[in-house]
Amino acid sequence: MTMKLLVKMMLNGLVLIPFLYLTTNATIFQIVMSSLGLSLLAFFVGDQWILQETNNTMATVADAGLVGLYLWALSVMLNWGLSAGELIVGVLLLGVVEYFYHRMLHRWDEKGPVY
């Protein structure tokens, strides 16, 4: 589980950190903490619960919804200035990452991790 979570944090961070840096007025600390928080939340809700009970499509849609709500809430609370269009782009980008991450998890569970 630890390696799966670390991979998720890395993949989400590779997309979310530059995205938030370019589209918001958030500080680097806020961006990094937001990325880590989203990764943890999405891992336990999306990957450990929804993906286990349903399929990749449902888990990806749930993760995308979670990303949208999470980023919208942070943008409002922290006054980041994230527009609706930018939010949609972020949701789509992370949705694609989540889809392929879930596929990787499926192969990983079948064959074991590849180092």
Side-chain angles (χ1 to χ4, degrees):
M1 180 168 89
T2 304
M3 183 60 78
K4 292 176 184 178
L5 179 57
L6 290 174
V7 169
K8 183 176 192 85
M9 286 179 173
M10 181 188 69
L11 292 175
N12 282 347
L14 285 172
V15 172
L16 192 58
I17 290 171
F19 172 76
L20 290 176
Y21 183 79
L22 294 171
T23 59
T24 69
N25 58 8
T27 67
I28 296 295
F29 179 76
Q30 289 173 331
I31 291 170
V32 170
M33 295 309 291
S34 298
S35 178
L36 292 174
L38 177 61
S39 294
L40 286 169
L41 186 61
F43 181 77
F44 288 107
V45 173
D47 304 335
Q48 297 298 304
W49 179 42
I50 296 172
L51 184 60
Q52 301 298 320
E53 298 295 324
T54 62
N55 57 38
N56 188 3
T57 302
M58 292 299 294
T60 300
V61 169
D63 278 340
L66 178 66
V67 167
L69 287 172
Y70 184 84
L71 292 180
W72 171 78
L74 285 176
S75 180
V76 169
M77 289 186 321
L78 300 173
N79 197 26
W80 284 355
L82 190 64
S83 73
E86 292 166 338
L87 182 62
I88 290 169
V89 169
V91 167
L92 291 174
L93 288 172
L94 282 172
V96 169
V97 169
E98 287 295 327
Y99 176 80
F100 287 107
Y101 173 72
H102 295 158
R103 287 180 53 124
M104 183 182 72
L105 285 181
H106 180 70
R107 284 194 306 264
W108 201 339
D109 289 341
E110 287 179 348
K111 299 177 184 178
V114 177
Y115 296 104

